[in-house]
Amino acid sequence: MFSALRRTKSISRIALDPPKALPDREGLAIVLIVRDEEAHIGEWARFHHKAGVRHFYVYDNGSVDGTLVQIVAAVGVQNVTVIPWSQKLRDGTSGAEIHNQVLAYAHAVANFGDQVRWMAFIDVDEFLVPKSGETLMDCLAHLDGEVNISLPWHMFGRNGFEDAPEGGIVANYTRRHPDPMSPLKGMCNFKMIVDPCHVTAMKVHSIETDGATVSVNDRGEKASAPDRKKPGFYSADHIQLNHYYTRSNAELMAKITRGSNMTQDANDHLRRVRRKVDQIEAESVEDLAAKRWFEGA
């Protein structure tokens, strides 16, 4: 029994001392962990480069394809820092697995956070869409006094595609689940944009700043981490976070085969992914915010 518990436990919160800000720090950086995203990372990187992202900190979790070549080609080698990150670490006493993604995020804050005003922590299937300005920095200008921003997922499904369509993600995947604050399990969650020089603890979907979980939505309204899921906290007035969870059916199958970033039972992973896809696609609305911005950017 004890050995089974040791295998299933994980460390998903990492505390740290925030870095001291450099006097000339500026702009927005994105931190991402990747593995074999050659097909889509170029579009993702071009989208965010156009949106004004200053730098990309790429934690490579064992890619064997052209992922790194594609992102460098998309935004220029001077705008990319690559950190090899193919590992699974465990606590030496309890045996608990240390969440590899959270560890990457904490490493980025500690080592690079002093150089930028904002850091975002997203995946290659997530796009930060400017809505109230031409760039993400324009959209953040009214929040200059804040240090912790929560953005809700807008969950996109397969849009009826069996195979990956020509023309990329943004142009083709335009239908999403209608309720970003859905109470259905796994449907409502957040990614963060934070001032890294105030970060005191990291999780994937919740970042503590100055020792507290309080964050603001993109209108500047505050809530604790648990209260973010209340419908009144919802806002995508300035920045919308699109989560292209599945893309085509062929890519969904590849996602399932690839498995989780953490050690996890394969059948549990399959059930979780399929449940989420069914929920996303049970009903949908058209959302052209990313398409219109990218085509006009």
Side-chain angles (χ1 to χ4, degrees), residues 39 66 72 103:
V72 167
L103 192 60

Side-chain angles (χ1 to χ4, degrees), residues 254-267:
K255 180 187 185 86
I256 291 170
T257 301
R258 186 165 62 241
S260 172
N261 184 47
M262 295 289 288
T263 301
Q264 187 178 43
D265 180 81
N267 290 328

Side-chain angles (χ1 to χ4, degrees), residues 13 18 28 31 33 66 90 106 109 125 132 141 173 188 204 211 229 233 238 241 266 270 272 294:
R13 177 183 178 273
L28 167 66
V31 179
I33 185 166
R90 297 184 182 276
V109 168
D125 58 4
S132 64
Y173 295 92
C188 177
V204 172
K229 293 189 177 183
F233 188 72
H238 300 276
L241 174 58
L270 172 61
R272 179 178 60 82
F294 200 30

Side-chain angles (χ1 to χ4, degrees), residues 7-8 10 12 33-35 37 61-62 85-88 90 97-102 123 125 204-205 245 252-273 276:
R7 287 195 299 271
T8 57
S10 65
S12 59
I33 185 166
V34 297
R35 182 173 63 187
E37 292 285 356
N61 191 22
W85 209 250
S86 180
Q87 62 191 356
K88 287 192 175 178
R90 297 184 182 276
E97 186 173 354
I98 302 171
H99 199 294
N100 201 29
Q101 190 171 4
V102 178
D123 299 325
D125 58 4
V204 172
H205 298 287
Y245 183 74
L252 170 61
M253 295 301 103
K255 180 187 185 86
I256 291 170
T257 301
R258 186 165 62 241
S260 172
N261 184 47
M262 295 289 288
T263 301
Q264 187 178 43
D265 180 81
N267 290 328
D268 287 345
H269 178 67
L270 172 61
R271 284 191 293 270
R272 179 178 60 82
V273 171
K276 195 171 291 188

Side-chain angles (χ1 to χ4, degrees), residues 187-205:
M187 292 292 288
C188 177
N189 223 324
F190 300 83
K191 287 295 183 73
M192 323 286 289
I193 301 176
V194 299
D195 182 338
C197 296
H198 288 261
V199 171
T200 50
M202 298 290 312
K203 297 176 73 174
V204 172
H205 298 287

Side-chain angles (χ1 to χ4, degrees), residues 12-62:
S12 59
R13 177 183 178 273
I14 296 176
L16 65 152
D17 295 327
K20 184 177 180 180
L22 294 175
D24 59 346
R25 69 170 182 150
E26 62 179 359
L28 167 66
I30 288 180
V31 179
L32 67 155
I33 185 166
V34 297
R35 182 173 63 187
D36 293 340
E37 292 285 356
E38 178 180 18
H40 297 298
I41 198 168
E43 178 189 5
W44 178 93
R46 286 190 297 273
F47 184 99
H48 289 100
H49 192 53
K50 279 190 173 184
V53 172
R54 176 185 173 189
H55 203 84
F56 300 86
Y57 295 100
V58 182
Y59 287 75
D60 179 36
N61 191 22

Side-chain angles (χ1 to χ4, degrees), residues 151-168:
L151 302 173
W153 274 342
H154 293 69
M155 299 286 278
F156 289 71
R158 291 171 290 185
N159 274 228
F161 290 109
E162 183 61 33
D163 298 304
E166 296 290 331

Side-chain angles (χ1 to χ4, degrees), residues 17 19 37 54 79-80 95 124 178 181 192 212 242 244 259 288 292:
D17 295 327
E37 292 285 356
R54 176 185 173 189
N79 297 314
V80 180
V124 178
M181 309 303 281
M192 323 286 289
N242 285 4
Y244 298 94
L288 299 174
R292 287 170 175 159

